[in-house]
Amino acid sequence: MTPQDMIARYAHDVARRLPREMRADVSAELRALLTEELDARAGGAAPDPETARALLAGFGDPALAALNYHTPPPVIDARDTRVFGKLAATILTALAILALSVALSDPAARADAALPGRLAEGAIQFGLQILGALLILFWAIGAVRRHRPQGAWSPRALPPVRDPDVVNRPLAAVSILFWTAGLSILAAGPAKLMASVATEAAAPQLLAAFAYDPAFEAQRAPVLWTLLALSIALYAWHAVAGRRTRASRLAEAGLSLVISVALLHIVLAGAVFAAEPANEYMEFAMALTGSWGLIDSVSTLHRENRARGRQPFADVTV
Amino acid sequence: MVEPADPFSKLELELRRGAIVLAALSQLRTEQYGYSLRQALSARGMEIEEGTLYPLLRRLESQGLLTSHWRIQDGPPRRYYVLSEDGARLYARLSASWNALSGVMADLINDGAAE
């Protein structure tokens, strides 16, 4: 290939990445300029391919050189990138957890070995559709913003600063009452509770529908109720203290991790309720809570570990 | 443009970006084509890579600061650039800003060196 061919190809490769109306002009100018540079480097002699290669290498990758001529608008504005990433990650994670929870809890999955594969395929397809829709939405937001410049920014639009470590005591009290009542019902057993509070004899079918599986009630339930009681106690301690510290955040995330693993173990170990569909709904709820809790607690522990040593005054109240 | 990795090169590039525009405008009060402009700047000690300077001329033209036309004169066809009226006004303002900034920076740097 002659040096002139190399320059022609380079100029074409840069120009083809530009808007159509610029291409011919930029290509012609680039060819003329590079030819002149090459002749100057050759110092009056016939330019050789090695000199041409060195010249073009100095000019750089055609894709990057084209960006110097014309920078197209981004698909997602830099200011929206973080929101887009968080939204996409949250939706995709929720979708994966939902598919996993259905696969773990659906009684049909035990009989149909192909069901988990179909669920995964459906989740991937739906996830890709959501990603595509998000991409179009964010591109449209950026395009509208570029074509309709916003007015002067005002500090009035700023959201209030919230301290994530402060515990809202009234809300915490209501939550603790609610969770304690829920745990009491679970620990006593919904069927036994119905039988004891019913003024007349409860229907045997109703009691059978909400009776625990004997193996769950004897082995796994006591561990789970103890862990949940510990979790409520820890939250009550935070409510009394008024705010979380690094140690209490770590304790909370650690306990959440243990509970999440226990929930997933219970779903995989066997039935919770003796009858369907109560068992299916309970296993679905446990798989959903366990998977989300697992991801949330691991990410919290990872975040705390990364922040260690970076915030020397993190636990100081200001 | 590929961003250099080491901090000095990166910061030096940031410093040079604004100066390169002003340097190019300073030499475009008379007509120049890309290669002759690069030579003129180089002769004054301002080395600018081809890949930076040539696209810059296009960008300045698209902003209305330069006008250009193709011409054949003593050689192959060349695209000649010169300051537009807007470009000349902007160059005068930018030069004044540069001189003021340069004075302030000299004071700051000399104060820092004296401490």
Side-chain angles (χ1 to χ4, degrees), chain A residues 25 29 36-37 40 68, chain B residues 35 38 54 59 78-79 81:
Chain A
D25 209 32
E29 186 183 19
E36 200 139 4
E37 290 276 356
N68 284 338
Chain B
Y35 181 72
R38 204 167 84 80
Y54 299 158
R59 291 204 304 274
R78 290 165 178 148
R79 192 180 186 103
Y81 294 87

Side-chain angles (χ1 to χ4, degrees), chain A residues 67-69, chain B residues 52 54-64:
Chain A
L67 280 181
N68 284 338
Y69 279 99
Chain B
T52 302
Y54 299 158
L56 173 67
L57 294 174
R58 284 278 171 169
R59 291 204 304 274
L60 293 175
E61 187 192 19
S62 70
Q63 289 167 23

Side-chain angles (χ1 to χ4, degrees), chain A:
Chain A
M1 199 189 312
T2 66
Q4 279 308 322
D5 285 339
M6 289 167 69
I7 285 174
R9 286 187 186 196
Y10 184 85
H12 174 72
D13 205 18
V14 172
R16 75 184 176 89
R17 298 163 199 273
L18 300 174
R20 200 170 290 277
E21 62 274 14
M22 290 176 72
R23 286 180 197 165
D25 209 32
V26 167
S27 178
E29 186 183 19
L30 200 49
R31 279 177 73 165
L33 288 167
L34 289 172
T35 302
E36 200 139 4
E37 290 276 356
L38 185 65
D39 289 342
R41 286 191 187 198
D48 60 277
E50 201 48 50
T51 311
R53 258 192 289 276
L55 172 69
L56 297 181
F59 213 87
D61 183 333
L64 298 175
L67 280 181
N68 284 338
Y69 279 99
H70 173 78
T71 308
V75 178
I76 297 174
D77 278 2
R79 65 197 275 187
D80 297 327
T81 307
R82 189 174 160 74
V83 178
F84 175 83
K86 280 185 88 167
L87 208 55
T90 305
I91 291 173
L92 292 181
T93 307
L95 204 58
I97 288 173
L98 195 65
L100 181 74
S101 304
V102 172
L104 287 175
S105 59
D106 192 342
R110 287 169 208 132
D112 182 3
L115 183 67
R118 287 204 302 277
L119 275 172
E121 197 178 318
I124 289 168
Q125 277 185 7
F126 190 51
L128 288 174
Q129 285 169 358
I130 287 182
L131 271 185
L134 268 184
L135 208 58
I136 291 170
L137 176 70
F138 275 79
W139 171 81
I141 290 170
V144 168
R145 205 185 276 142
R146 278 190 293 278
H147 286 98
R148 286 187 190 172
Q150 292 168 322
W153 175 83
S154 163
R156 277 179 300 178
L158 287 172
V161 178
R162 294 187 200 284
D163 184 346
D165 286 330
V166 169
V167 180
N168 181 331
R169 283 178 168 144
L171 187 65
V174 173
S175 303
I176 289 165
L177 275 177
F178 178 75
W179 291 338
T180 307
L183 180 59
S184 305
I185 294 169
L186 286 172
K192 286 178 188 167
L193 200 69
M194 274 187 262
S196 63
V197 299
T199 49
E200 295 175 18
Q205 295 91 335
L206 188 65
L207 296 181
F210 288 101
Y212 282 133
D213 178 84
F216 168 76
E217 194 167 19
Q219 296 159 15
R220 299 184 286 277
V223 178
L224 182 60
W225 308 151
T226 308
L227 288 172
L228 291 176
L230 271 176
S231 174
I232 293 172
L234 187 62
Y235 189 54
W237 176 44
H238 290 157
V240 171
R243 62 178 289 116
R244 292 178 177 84
T245 61
R246 178 175 149 75
S248 61
R249 286 196 302 269
L250 284 173
E252 200 170 51
L255 185 58
S256 171
L257 178 64
V258 174
I259 292 173
S260 303
V261 172
L263 285 171
L264 291 174
H265 169 73
I266 288 167
V267 172
L268 292 169
V272 175
F273 284 105
E276 302 292 353
N279 183 56
E280 182 186 347
Y281 289 132
M282 190 55 155
E283 285 193 341
F284 176 73
M286 282 182 161
L288 208 61
T289 314
S291 306
W292 192 262
L294 188 69
I295 291 169
D296 185 51
S297 54
V298 168
S299 67
T300 302
L301 289 170
H302 178 63
R303 198 166 51 238
E304 287 294 333
N305 187 45
R306 277 198 313 180
R308 189 174 54 186
R310 286 190 200 162
Q311 297 170 312
F313 307 117
D315 288 345
V316 176
T317 308
V318 289

Side-chain angles (χ1 to χ4, degrees), chain B:
Chain B
M1 188 180 295
V2 182
E3 295 285 338
D6 71 291
F8 173 77
S9 303
K10 199 171 178 178
L11 292 173
E12 195 202 21
L13 184 70
E14 291 286 330
L15 277 178
R16 280 173 59 87
R17 267 189 190 140
I20 286 171
V21 173
L22 192 54
L25 293 177
S26 74
Q27 300 303 301
L28 287 166
R29 283 169 290 182
T30 54
E31 275 193 341
Q32 300 269 11
Y33 60 97
Y35 181 72
S36 68
L37 174 63
R38 204 167 84 80
Q39 294 300 105
L41 289 167
S42 178
R44 304 275 189 113
M46 188 73 175
E47 296 286 351
I48 304 177
E49 290 173 3
E50 309 95 307
T52 302
L53 182 63
Y54 299 158
L56 173 67
L57 294 174
R58 284 278 171 169
R59 291 204 304 274
L60 293 175
E61 187 192 19
S62 70
Q63 289 167 23
L65 304 178
L66 303 179
T67 56
S68 75
H69 62 274
W70 284 94
R71 197 168 75 216
I72 300 175
Q73 182 185 342
D74 303 331
R78 290 165 178 148
R79 192 180 186 103
Y80 284 79
Y81 294 87
V82 71
L83 285 181
S84 65
E85 282 184 23
D86 284 349
R89 275 195 293 273
L90 187 95
Y91 170 66
R93 290 178 64 192
L94 281 179
S95 303
S97 293
W98 175 269
N99 288 331
L101 185 64
S102 168
V104 170
M105 289 308 298
D107 280 351
L108 288 172
I109 291 168
N110 291 337
D111 279 358
E115 280 174 10

